[in-house]
Amino acid sequence: MNKDELTHSQEETGENIEIWADLVSIRDLTIAISITVITTLVGYFVAPADEPMPLIFGLVGAVIGFIISSIMIKPKRQFKPSRQGGDQ
Protein backbone atom coordinates (compact mmCIF):
# COMPACT_ATOMS: atom_id res chain seq x y z
CA MET A 1 0.00 0.00 0.00
CA ASN A 2 1.59 3.28 -1.02
CA LYS A 3 1.23 6.62 0.75
CA ASP A 4 -1.58 7.84 -1.52
CA GLU A 5 -3.68 4.75 -0.79
CA LEU A 6 -2.94 4.99 2.93
CA THR A 7 -3.80 8.66 2.99
CA HIS A 8 -7.03 8.11 1.06
CA SER A 9 -8.25 5.27 3.29
CA GLN A 10 -7.42 7.11 6.50
CA GLU A 11 -9.02 10.32 5.26
CA GLU A 12 -12.22 8.37 4.62
CA THR A 13 -12.36 7.18 8.23
CA GLY A 14 -11.35 10.60 9.57
CA GLU A 15 -8.85 9.27 12.10
CA ASN A 16 -5.79 11.15 10.82
CA ILE A 17 -4.97 14.57 9.42
CA GLU A 18 -1.96 15.69 7.43
CA ILE A 19 0.42 18.18 9.06
CA TRP A 20 3.72 19.10 7.40
CA ALA A 21 3.47 16.15 4.97
CA ASP A 22 2.96 13.66 7.79
CA LEU A 23 -0.19 11.90 9.00
CA VAL A 24 -1.12 12.58 12.62
CA SER A 25 -3.86 11.07 14.76
CA ILE A 26 -6.37 13.74 15.76
CA ARG A 27 -6.72 12.21 19.23
CA ASP A 28 -2.95 12.14 19.87
CA LEU A 29 -2.55 15.68 18.55
CA THR A 30 -5.31 16.97 20.83
CA ILE A 31 -3.81 15.22 23.85
CA ALA A 32 -0.30 16.57 23.13
CA ILE A 33 -1.53 20.14 22.61
CA SER A 34 -3.63 19.98 25.79
CA ILE A 35 -0.74 18.71 27.90
CA THR A 36 1.63 21.35 26.55
CA VAL A 37 -0.87 24.20 27.01
CA ILE A 38 -1.65 23.14 30.58
CA THR A 39 2.00 22.83 31.64
CA THR A 40 2.85 26.16 29.96
CA LEU A 41 0.01 27.99 31.72
CA VAL A 42 0.84 26.39 35.08
CA GLY A 43 4.44 27.52 34.69
CA TYR A 44 3.35 31.03 33.72
CA PHE A 45 0.91 31.48 36.61
CA VAL A 46 3.21 29.91 39.24
CA ALA A 47 6.07 32.24 38.31
CA PRO A 48 7.03 35.16 40.55
CA ALA A 49 5.86 38.62 39.41
CA ASP A 50 9.39 39.76 38.45
CA GLU A 51 9.70 40.81 34.80
CA PRO A 52 11.40 37.88 32.98
CA MET A 53 10.26 35.07 35.29
CA PRO A 54 6.78 34.38 33.78
CA LEU A 55 8.39 34.02 30.36
CA ILE A 56 11.09 31.68 31.65
CA PHE A 57 8.67 29.58 33.70
CA GLY A 58 6.26 29.41 30.75
CA LEU A 59 9.01 28.22 28.42
CA VAL A 60 10.14 25.61 30.95
CA GLY A 61 6.51 24.49 31.25
CA ALA A 62 6.30 24.15 27.46
CA VAL A 63 9.46 22.01 27.38
CA ILE A 64 8.15 19.84 30.22
CA GLY A 65 4.83 19.44 28.34
CA PHE A 66 6.71 18.42 25.21
CA ILE A 67 8.72 15.83 27.15
CA ILE A 68 5.57 14.41 28.79
CA SER A 69 3.80 14.27 25.41
CA SER A 70 6.70 12.51 23.72
CA ILE A 71 6.85 9.91 26.49
CA MET A 72 3.08 9.30 26.55
CA ILE A 73 2.44 9.25 22.79
CA LYS A 74 4.55 6.78 20.86
CA PRO A 75 5.08 6.99 17.08
CA LYS A 76 2.84 4.71 15.03
CA ARG A 77 5.20 4.36 12.07
CA GLN A 78 6.69 1.04 11.16
CA PHE A 79 9.77 1.07 8.98
CA LYS A 80 10.43 -1.92 6.77
CA PRO A 81 14.08 -2.48 5.86
CA SER A 82 14.69 -2.85 2.15
CA ARG A 83 16.55 -5.79 0.70
CA GLN A 84 18.41 -3.65 -1.81
CA GLY A 85 22.16 -3.73 -1.72
CA GLY A 86 24.37 -0.67 -1.86
CA ASP A 87 25.23 2.26 0.37
CA GLN A 88 21.66 3.18 1.33
Side-chain angles (χ1 to χ4, degrees), residues 21-58:
D22 197 6
L23 291 175
V24 179
S25 169
I26 296 171
R27 179 179 174 271
D28 290 345
L29 179 64
T30 305
I31 291 170
I33 289 173
S34 300
I35 289 170
T36 305
V37 166
I38 289 169
T39 57
T40 301
L41 288 175
V42 166
Y44 178 79
F45 288 120
V46 168
D50 297 337
E51 187 63 29
M53 295 311 253
L55 174 65
I56 294 170
F57 276 56

Side-chain angles (χ1 to χ4, degrees), residues 65-86:
F66 172 74
I67 292 170
I68 292 170
S69 297
S70 65
I71 291 171
M72 286 181 57
I73 301 169
K74 298 296 180 193
K76 309 296 188 285
R77 282 190 198 152
Q78 295 180 359
F79 292 102
K80 296 178 183 175
S82 64
R83 297 252 177 204
Q84 298 174 353

Side-chain angles (χ1 to χ4, degrees), residues 1-33:
M1 182 179 275
N2 65 23
K3 184 181 180 210
D4 293 333
E5 292 172 358
L6 183 64
T7 303
H8 182 65
S9 67
Q10 289 175 338
E11 282 178 356
E12 286 178 358
T13 60
E15 58 192 42
N16 291 330
I17 58 173
E18 186 173 345
I19 298 177
W20 293 324
D22 197 6
L23 291 175
V24 179
S25 169
I26 296 171
R27 179 179 174 271
D28 290 345
L29 179 64
T30 305
I31 291 170
I33 289 173

